[in-house]
């Protein structure tokens, strides 16, 4: 999710940290030592030196697993970042939900062309919103135009507001009702705008189609079969199990770091971004997904049928949106699949090459309070992911082939040229992935 930098939406919440960790080391000494470090460690240290309290990276290639960490787990104790600790994965939850939905499509239990009203009659109504016109595909791909509820559950974007409101719980219907107080961004299918409301609705559709909660279906269909023993669907349970690093949010430029390890339940507790996992588990999940172990070929092809993400939405240049999965170009050719996630004090970025050969998860444990720092952080994280996935030069041929296939898919009828979306002035925010 994202809170600040242009809009609150679950893709990239607010902010990083002030540079607290390397002030006592002479600059010349740091530069000389840095030159001797492996590239992955240098990239993690660069994020730490730019103010992130804690950074961890897990990279899996045919040559094995590499993990690096930088900074501290806890500002009060100075303990180093834990290895493969538990993480809030934020909007990366959406990929799990999309897999369940597509499995149900493969079983013939629903269709991507079903409307919301087919499964949730009468719920999407008011201020120009109409569930008769919105399809499940449009929910999955953020082309529904439905307004985002996130701005309505953050009444006070400050440390005091976080503490006062973090225990407040909402049902899915209550989140949807908040969204329905606002007009849609555009007519269904006429544009692209990231909205967490889409996936709250998809969680409700899963319940309507199966009789079980989306959490139950994720556990039964994904978590247990893949043996993701450290992946959780905590609901309104707000705490992280140990071991884990503390998460810190800077709510204003130059402000103090607030410990935000306890979930902000108004947006950390539904199908749009509530899951907890580890880097090892998220890597295993993404690899299994792209290798076809979770979806039949027809459904995986639908998931990877992309539309253009407008350039002004804060995503890396050239990003395209599938069904619960984003495609991002690589500097070495081809691209990668993934879905980042964030919230107050955390950012997780899982990504994999199209054949699952190289997979990486980057996690940051603090966010900054100013837009320039947040923009710089996102640039540095995406550059780290790019360099990590490009580390195996033998992989370039497959990457280029994947790019060509993706370009063919992009010419489908589901990939129209979209006009700019109508700005949402309710609260400054950015999409959450």
């Amino acid at each position: 999710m994202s809170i600040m930098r242009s809009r609150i939406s679950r893709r990239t919440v607010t902010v990083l940290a002030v540079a607290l960790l390397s002030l006592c080391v002479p600059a010349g000494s740091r530069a000389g030592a840095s030159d001797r470090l492996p590239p992955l460690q240098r990239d993690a240290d660069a994020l730490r030196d730019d103010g992130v309290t804690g950074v961890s990276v897990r990279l899996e290639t045919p040559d094995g697993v590499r993990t690096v960490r930088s900074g501290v787990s806890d500002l009060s104790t100075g303990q180093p970042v834990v290895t493969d600790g538990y993480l809030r994965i934020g909007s990366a939850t959406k990929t799990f939900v999309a897999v369940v939905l597509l499995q149900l499509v493969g079983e013939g239990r629903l269709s991507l062309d079903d409307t919301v009203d087919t499964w949730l009659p009468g719920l999407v109504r008011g201020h120009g919103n109409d569930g008769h016109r919105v399809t499940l595909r449009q929910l999955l791909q953020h082309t529904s135009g439905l307004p985002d509820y996130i701005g309505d559950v953050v009444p006070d974007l400050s440390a005091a507001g976080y503490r006062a409101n973090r225990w407040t719980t909402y049902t899915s219907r209550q989140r949807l009702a908040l969204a329905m107080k606002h007009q849609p961004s555009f007519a269904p299918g006429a544009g692209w705008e990231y909205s967490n409301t889409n996936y709250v609705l998809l969680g409700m559709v899963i319940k309507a189609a199966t009789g079980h909660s989306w959490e139950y279906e994720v556990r039964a269909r994904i978590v247990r079969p893949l043996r993701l023993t450290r992946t959780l669907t905590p609901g309104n349970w707000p705490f992280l199990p140990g071991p884990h690093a503390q998460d810190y949010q800077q709510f204003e430029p130059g402000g103090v770091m607030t410990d935000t390890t306890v979930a902000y339940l108004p947006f950390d507790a539904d199908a749009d971004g509530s899951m907890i996992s580890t880097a090892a588990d998220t890597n295993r999940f993404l690899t299994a997904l792209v290798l076809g172990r979770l979806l039949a070929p027809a459904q995986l092809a639908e998931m990877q049928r992309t539309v253009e993400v407008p350039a002004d939405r804060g995503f890396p240049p050239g990003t395209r949106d599938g069904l619960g999965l984003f495609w991002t170009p690589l500097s070495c050719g081809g691209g990668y699949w993934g879905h980042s996630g964030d919230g107050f004090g955390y950012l997780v970025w899982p990504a994999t090459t199209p054949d699952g050969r190289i997979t990486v998860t980057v996690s940051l444990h603090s966010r900054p309070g100013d837009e320039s720092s947040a923009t710089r952080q996102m640039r540095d994280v995406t550059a780290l992911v790019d360099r990590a996935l490009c580390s195996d030069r033998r992989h370039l041929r497959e990457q280029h082939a994947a790019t060509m296939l993706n370009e063919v898919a992009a010419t489908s009828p589901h990939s129209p040229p979209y006009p700019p979306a109508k700005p949402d002035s309710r609260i400054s925010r950015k999409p959450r992935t």
Side-chain angles (χ1 to χ4, degrees):
M1 145 179 144
S2 239
I3 296 178
M4 278 182 154
R5 277 190 65 202
S6 134
R7 12 185 113 187
I8 265 186
S9 165
R10 281 200 176 261
R11 189 185 169 229
T12 325
V13 170
T14 333
V15 292
L16 250 145
V18 287
L20 301 170
L21 305 171
S22 57
L23 299 179
C24 61
V25 182
S29 301
R30 288 200 306 270
S34 173
D35 291 342
R36 297 189 294 270
L37 292 173
L40 200 63
Q41 185 67 60
R42 287 203 303 269
D43 284 345
D45 288 348
L47 282 160
R48 175 206 62 197
D49 292 344
D50 202 29
V52 186
T53 58
V55 182
S56 62
V57 184
R58 182 183 177 93
L59 174 65
E60 300 185 31
T61 74
D63 297 323
V65 177
R66 279 175 277 171
T67 60
V68 303
R69 52 184 176 164
S70 192
V72 298
S73 281
D74 189 324
L75 289 177
S76 63
T77 66
Q79 291 295 312
V81 175
V82 297
T83 301
D84 202 33
Y86 281 96
L87 311 166
R88 298 198 187 283
I89 64 171
S91 281
T93 300
K94 292 180 172 71
T95 309
F96 288 80
V97 172
V99 167
V100 170
L101 206 291
L102 286 163
Q103 286 183 350
L104 294 173
V105 170
E107 294 164 10
R109 300 172 73 172
L110 46 75
S111 166
L112 291 175
D113 295 322
D114 288 347
T115 66
V116 173
D117 258 43
T118 301
W119 295 99
L120 305 171
L123 289 188
V124 176
R125 290 288 188 279
H127 295 90
N129 300 290
D130 185 355
H132 286 111
R133 301 175 60 202
V134 177
T135 67
L136 301 187
R137 181 190 298 279
Q138 290 165 347
L139 295 179
L140 286 162
Q141 203 158 42
H142 299 293
T143 57
S144 70
L146 295 179
D148 201 339
Y149 78 90
I150 292 289
D152 296 285
V153 297
V154 187
D156 181 1
L157 189 59
S158 67
Y162 159 76
R163 294 189 185 100
N165 297 300
R166 62 184 174 179
W167 309 109
T168 304
T169 59
Y170 294 84
T171 65
S172 298
R173 282 179 176 253
Q174 287 172 327
R175 290 184 172 91
L176 177 61
L178 290 172
M180 293 300 100
K181 294 179 180 179
H182 306 280
Q183 293 183 346
S185 299
F186 45 80
W192 187 94
E193 186 70 21
Y194 196 95
S195 175
N196 294 285
T197 305
N198 292 326
Y199 277 75
V200 172
L201 279 165
L202 289 168
M204 298 170 73
V205 169
I206 289 171
K207 176 68 179 291
T210 67
H212 301 131
S213 68
W214 70 267
E215 295 100 326
Y216 176 93
E217 294 294 336
V218 163
R219 291 192 299 267
R221 293 168 174 271
I222 303 171
V223 173
R224 286 199 287 271
L226 293 183
R227 298 182 182 178
L228 305 180
T229 58
R230 301 177 70 204
T231 295
L232 312 173
T233 54
N236 286 323
W237 186 69
F239 305 106
L240 270 175
H244 64 79
Q246 302 295 107
D247 295 325
Y248 297 95
Q249 180 69 48
Q250 188 185 49
F251 282 96
E252 57 186 32
V256 299
M257 301 300 290
T258 299
D259 189 328
T260 54
T261 310
V262 173
Y264 188 78
L265 292 179
F267 61 54
D268 274 333
D270 212 327
D272 56 322
S274 65
M275 290 179 66
I276 292 170
S277 190
T278 65
D281 272 13
T282 55
N283 282 0
R284 185 178 305 126
F285 165 65
L286 269 183
T287 301
L289 175 57
V290 299
L291 291 179
R293 295 174 183 163
L294 291 171
L295 294 173
Q299 279 68 58
L300 183 58
E302 288 290 350
M303 189 177 213
Q304 296 178 341
R305 190 188 302 274
T306 62
V307 297
E308 180 183 359
V309 172
D312 62 349
R313 301 302 192 270
F315 289 78
T319 297
R320 301 184 66 85
D321 188 13
L323 305 185
L325 205 57
F326 286 89
W327 168 267
T328 304
L330 282 169
S331 63
C332 57
Y336 63 85
W337 294 106
H339 199 309
S340 64
D342 67 346
F344 286 135
Y346 69 89
L347 169 65
V348 175
W349 198 295
T352 187
T353 52
D355 58 4
R357 184 184 178 95
I358 306 177
T359 307
V360 65
T361 292
V362 181
S363 57
L364 308 186
H365 298 286
S366 70
R367 307 301 309 281
D370 63 281
E371 185 169 351
S372 62
S373 294
T375 299
R376 185 170 64 249
Q377 178 193 48
M378 293 304 298
R379 180 198 65 206
D380 292 345
V381 169
T382 55
L384 186 158
V385 170
D386 184 275
R387 284 190 286 269
L389 295 178
C390 284
S391 61
D392 185 351
R393 296 295 172 178
R394 295 170 297 178
H395 197 224
L396 292 180
R397 183 173 299 174
E398 291 95 332
Q399 289 294 305
H400 286 298
T403 300
M404 294 180 66
L405 289 173
N406 196 64
E407 289 173 351
V408 171
T411 63
S412 76
H414 301 291
S415 183
Y418 293 139
K422 180 173 61 178
D424 184 344
S425 60
R426 286 180 290 152
I427 185 165
S428 175
R429 74 174 191 262
K430 187 125 196 131
R432 156 190 184 162
T433 64

